[in-house]
PDB file of all heavy atoms in Angstrom:
ATOM      1  N   SER A   7     -10.233 -12.849  15.955  1.00  0.00           N
ATOM      2  CA  SER A   7     -11.614 -12.445  16.113  1.00  0.00           C
ATOM      3  C   SER A   7     -11.691 -10.933  15.946  1.00  0.00           C
ATOM      4  O   SER A   7     -10.740 -10.220  16.204  1.00  0.00           O
ATOM      5  CB  SER A   7     -12.128 -12.851  17.484  1.00  0.00           C
ATOM      6  OG  SER A   7     -11.473 -12.103  18.467  1.00  0.00           O
ATOM      7  N   ALA A   8     -12.837 -10.472  15.484  1.00  0.00           N
ATOM      8  CA  ALA A   8     -12.950  -9.073  15.091  1.00  0.00           C
ATOM      9  C   ALA A   8     -12.785  -8.122  16.275  1.00  0.00           C
ATOM     10  O   ALA A   8     -12.059  -7.155  16.218  1.00  0.00           O
ATOM     11  CB  ALA A   8     -14.292  -8.831  14.425  1.00  0.00           C
ATOM     12  N   VAL A   9     -13.453  -8.407  17.355  1.00  0.00           N
ATOM     13  CA  VAL A   9     -13.420  -7.482  18.468  1.00  0.00           C
ATOM     14  C   VAL A   9     -12.880  -8.207  19.691  1.00  0.00           C
ATOM     15  O   VAL A   9     -13.420  -9.208  20.117  1.00  0.00           O
ATOM     16  CB  VAL A   9     -14.839  -6.943  18.762  1.00  0.00           C
ATOM     17  CG1 VAL A   9     -14.797  -6.016  19.966  1.00  0.00           C
ATOM     18  CG2 VAL A   9     -15.385  -6.228  17.553  1.00  0.00           C
ATOM     19  N   GLN A  10     -11.807  -7.689  20.217  1.00  0.00           N
ATOM     20  CA  GLN A  10     -11.251  -8.324  21.393  1.00  0.00           C
ATOM     21  C   GLN A  10     -11.504  -7.445  22.607  1.00  0.00           C
ATOM     22  O   GLN A  10     -11.353  -6.244  22.532  1.00  0.00           O
ATOM     23  CB  GLN A  10      -9.739  -8.492  21.223  1.00  0.00           C
ATOM     24  CG  GLN A  10      -9.407  -9.474  20.143  1.00  0.00           C
ATOM     25  CD  GLN A  10      -7.929  -9.756  20.109  1.00  0.00           C
ATOM     26  OE1 GLN A  10      -7.114  -8.960  20.543  1.00  0.00           O
ATOM     27  NE2 GLN A  10      -7.573 -10.906  19.602  1.00  0.00           N
ATOM     28  N   PRO A  11     -11.899  -8.055  23.726  1.00  0.00           N
ATOM     29  CA  PRO A  11     -12.069  -7.260  24.919  1.00  0.00           C
ATOM     30  C   PRO A  11     -10.732  -6.602  25.282  1.00  0.00           C
ATOM     31  O   PRO A  11      -9.677  -7.206  25.126  1.00  0.00           O
ATOM     32  CB  PRO A  11     -12.477  -8.283  25.983  1.00  0.00           C
ATOM     33  CG  PRO A  11     -12.170  -9.618  25.426  1.00  0.00           C
ATOM     34  CD  PRO A  11     -12.137  -9.485  23.946  1.00  0.00           C
ATOM     35  N   LYS A  12     -10.802  -5.368  25.749  1.00  0.00           N
ATOM     36  CA  LYS A  12      -9.591  -4.560  25.884  1.00  0.00           C
ATOM     37  C   LYS A  12      -8.519  -5.217  26.729  1.00  0.00           C
ATOM     38  O   LYS A  12      -7.363  -5.219  26.386  1.00  0.00           O
ATOM     39  CB  LYS A  12      -9.952  -3.207  26.466  1.00  0.00           C
ATOM     40  CG  LYS A  12      -8.760  -2.282  26.477  1.00  0.00           C
ATOM     41  CD  LYS A  12      -9.145  -0.913  26.924  1.00  0.00           C
ATOM     42  CE  LYS A  12      -8.010   0.069  26.719  1.00  0.00           C
ATOM     43  NZ  LYS A  12      -6.917  -0.049  27.597  1.00  0.00           N
ATOM     44  N   LYS A  13      -8.913  -5.767  27.864  1.00  0.00           N
ATOM     45  CA  LYS A  13      -7.869  -6.215  28.779  1.00  0.00           C
ATOM     46  C   LYS A  13      -7.463  -7.680  28.559  1.00  0.00           C
ATOM     47  O   LYS A  13      -6.607  -8.192  29.238  1.00  0.00           O
ATOM     48  CB  LYS A  13      -8.323  -5.995  30.214  1.00  0.00           C
ATOM     49  CG  LYS A  13      -8.561  -4.518  30.475  1.00  0.00           C
ATOM     50  CD  LYS A  13      -7.982  -4.054  31.778  1.00  0.00           C
ATOM     51  CE  LYS A  13      -7.839  -2.544  31.850  1.00  0.00           C
ATOM     52  NZ  LYS A  13      -9.040  -1.780  31.497  1.00  0.00           N
ATOM     53  N   ALA A  14      -8.109  -8.311  27.631  1.00  0.00           N
ATOM     54  CA  ALA A  14      -7.814  -9.728  27.430  1.00  0.00           C
ATOM     55  C   ALA A  14      -6.368  -9.953  26.998  1.00  0.00           C
ATOM     56  O   ALA A  14      -5.720 -10.871  27.441  1.00  0.00           O
ATOM     57  CB  ALA A  14      -8.756 -10.317  26.399  1.00  0.00           C
ATOM     58  N   THR A  15      -5.862  -9.100  26.134  1.00  0.00           N
ATOM     59  CA  THR A  15      -4.470  -9.265  25.723  1.00  0.00           C
ATOM     60  C   THR A  15      -3.747  -7.954  25.936  1.00  0.00           C
ATOM     61  O   THR A  15      -4.232  -6.901  25.565  1.00  0.00           O
ATOM     62  CB  THR A  15      -4.383  -9.603  24.218  1.00  0.00           C
ATOM     63  OG1 THR A  15      -5.134  -8.621  23.520  1.00  0.00           O
ATOM     64  CG2 THR A  15      -4.892 -10.976  23.898  1.00  0.00           C
ATOM     65  N   ARG A  16      -2.573  -8.017  26.505  1.00  0.00           N
ATOM     66  CA  ARG A  16      -1.784  -6.801  26.670  1.00  0.00           C
ATOM     67  C   ARG A  16      -0.717  -6.742  25.589  1.00  0.00           C
ATOM     68  O   ARG A  16       0.034  -5.807  25.513  1.00  0.00           O
ATOM     69  CB  ARG A  16      -1.125  -6.747  28.059  1.00  0.00           C
ATOM     70  CG  ARG A  16      -2.084  -6.738  29.206  1.00  0.00           C
ATOM     71  CD  ARG A  16      -3.027  -5.550  29.175  1.00  0.00           C
ATOM     72  NE  ARG A  16      -2.338  -4.256  29.122  1.00  0.00           N
ATOM     73  CZ  ARG A  16      -2.981  -3.122  28.923  1.00  0.00           C
ATOM     74  NH1 ARG A  16      -4.283  -3.115  28.725  1.00  0.00           N
ATOM     75  NH2 ARG A  16      -2.309  -1.992  28.896  1.00  0.00           N
ATOM     76  N   LYS A  17      -0.674  -7.776  24.803  1.00  0.00           N
ATOM     77  CA  LYS A  17       0.353  -7.834  23.772  1.00  0.00           C
ATOM     78  C   LYS A  17      -0.063  -7.005  22.565  1.00  0.00           C
ATOM     79  O   LYS A  17      -1.226  -6.983  22.200  1.00  0.00           O
ATOM     80  CB  LYS A  17       0.538  -9.288  23.342  1.00  0.00           C
ATOM     81  CG  LYS A  17       1.975  -9.742  23.392  1.00  0.00           C
ATOM     82  CD  LYS A  17       2.067 -11.201  22.996  1.00  0.00           C
ATOM     83  CE  LYS A  17       2.051 -11.389  21.527  1.00  0.00           C
ATOM     84  NZ  LYS A  17       1.163 -12.310  20.951  1.00  0.00           N
ATOM     85  N   MET A  18       0.898  -6.336  21.966  1.00  0.00           N
ATOM     86  CA  MET A  18       0.601  -5.636  20.729  1.00  0.00           C
ATOM     87  C   MET A  18       0.267  -6.666  19.663  1.00  0.00           C
ATOM     88  O   MET A  18       0.992  -7.642  19.493  1.00  0.00           O
ATOM     89  CB  MET A  18       1.811  -4.841  20.259  1.00  0.00           C
ATOM     90  CG  MET A  18       2.122  -3.673  21.148  1.00  0.00           C
ATOM     91  SD  MET A  18       0.840  -2.438  21.031  1.00  0.00           S
ATOM     92  CE  MET A  18       1.571  -1.129  22.007  1.00  0.00           C
ATOM     93  N   SER A  19      -0.807  -6.439  18.971  1.00  0.00           N
ATOM     94  CA  SER A  19      -1.204  -7.445  18.009  1.00  0.00           C
ATOM     95  C   SER A  19      -1.219  -6.848  16.611  1.00  0.00           C
ATOM     96  O   SER A  19      -1.493  -5.680  16.414  1.00  0.00           O
ATOM     97  CB  SER A  19      -2.580  -7.969  18.403  1.00  0.00           C
ATOM     98  OG  SER A  19      -3.284  -8.357  17.274  1.00  0.00           O
ATOM     99  N   GLU A  20      -0.913  -7.674  15.644  1.00  0.00           N
ATOM    100  CA  GLU A  20      -0.824  -7.207  14.267  1.00  0.00           C
ATOM    101  C   GLU A  20      -2.179  -7.203  13.560  1.00  0.00           C
ATOM    102  O   GLU A  20      -2.393  -6.491  12.623  1.00  0.00           O
ATOM    103  CB  GLU A  20       0.130  -8.108  13.471  1.00  0.00           C
ATOM    104  CG  GLU A  20       1.569  -7.827  13.732  1.00  0.00           C
ATOM    105  CD  GLU A  20       2.043  -6.560  13.025  1.00  0.00           C
ATOM    106  OE1 GLU A  20       1.914  -6.496  11.813  1.00  0.00           O
ATOM    107  OE2 GLU A  20       2.521  -5.643  13.710  1.00  0.00           O
ATOM    108  N   GLY A  21      -3.072  -8.030  14.060  1.00  0.00           N
ATOM    109  CA  GLY A  21      -4.303  -8.220  13.311  1.00  0.00           C
ATOM    110  C   GLY A  21      -5.464  -7.416  13.847  1.00  0.00           C
ATOM    111  O   GLY A  21      -5.550  -7.142  15.024  1.00  0.00           O
ATOM    112  N   MET A  22      -6.359  -7.030  12.986  1.00  0.00           N
ATOM    113  CA  MET A  22      -7.568  -6.349  13.403  1.00  0.00           C
ATOM    114  C   MET A  22      -8.648  -6.803  12.442  1.00  0.00           C
ATOM    115  O   MET A  22      -8.434  -6.793  11.242  1.00  0.00           O
ATOM    116  CB  MET A  22      -7.341  -4.847  13.303  1.00  0.00           C
ATOM    117  CG  MET A  22      -8.399  -4.028  13.978  1.00  0.00           C
ATOM    118  SD  MET A  22      -8.193  -2.253  13.711  1.00  0.00           S
ATOM    119  CE  MET A  22      -7.009  -1.812  14.946  1.00  0.00           C
ATOM    120  N   GLY A  23      -9.787  -7.216  12.968  1.00  0.00           N
ATOM    121  CA  GLY A  23     -10.862  -7.682  12.098  1.00  0.00           C
ATOM    122  C   GLY A  23     -11.346  -6.565  11.204  1.00  0.00           C
ATOM    123  O   GLY A  23     -11.127  -5.393  11.499  1.00  0.00           O
ATOM    124  N   PRO A  24     -12.029  -6.903  10.103  1.00  0.00           N
ATOM    125  CA  PRO A  24     -12.450  -5.877   9.148  1.00  0.00           C
ATOM    126  C   PRO A  24     -13.429  -4.850   9.730  1.00  0.00           C
ATOM    127  O   PRO A  24     -13.345  -3.661   9.410  1.00  0.00           O
ATOM    128  CB  PRO A  24     -13.108  -6.679   8.023  1.00  0.00           C
ATOM    129  CG  PRO A  24     -13.340  -8.044   8.570  1.00  0.00           C
ATOM    130  CD  PRO A  24     -12.349  -8.252   9.662  1.00  0.00           C
ATOM    131  N   GLU A  25     -14.323  -5.301  10.627  1.00  0.00           N
ATOM    132  CA  GLU A  25     -15.292  -4.385  11.240  1.00  0.00           C
ATOM    133  C   GLU A  25     -14.570  -3.315  12.044  1.00  0.00           C
ATOM    134  O   GLU A  25     -14.768  -2.121  11.881  1.00  0.00           O
ATOM    135  CB  GLU A  25     -16.198  -5.171  12.204  1.00  0.00           C
ATOM    136  CG  GLU A  25     -17.215  -6.045  11.526  1.00  0.00           C
ATOM    137  CD  GLU A  25     -18.289  -5.203  10.866  1.00  0.00           C
ATOM    138  OE1 GLU A  25     -18.888  -4.372  11.583  1.00  0.00           O
ATOM    139  OE2 GLU A  25     -18.502  -5.357   9.656  1.00  0.00           O
ATOM    140  N   LEU A  26     -13.705  -3.809  12.933  1.00  0.00           N
ATOM    141  CA  LEU A  26     -12.981  -2.916  13.815  1.00  0.00           C
ATOM    142  C   LEU A  26     -12.049  -2.018  13.012  1.00  0.00           C
ATOM    143  O   LEU A  26     -11.910  -0.831  13.287  1.00  0.00           O
ATOM    144  CB  LEU A  26     -12.187  -3.747  14.834  1.00  0.00           C
ATOM    145  CG  LEU A  26     -11.490  -2.940  15.929  1.00  0.00           C
ATOM    146  CD1 LEU A  26     -12.471  -2.109  16.717  1.00  0.00           C
ATOM    147  CD2 LEU A  26     -10.719  -3.865  16.865  1.00  0.00           C
TER     148      LEU A  26
END
Side-chain angles (χ1 to χ4, degrees):
S7 68
V9 178
Q10 293 187 336
K12 186 174 189 287
K13 298 225 162 51
T15 52
R16 299 300 305 171
K17 232 178 81 230
M18 291 292 187
S19 149
E20 282 284 303
M22 192 186 277
E25 286 290 305
L26 186 58

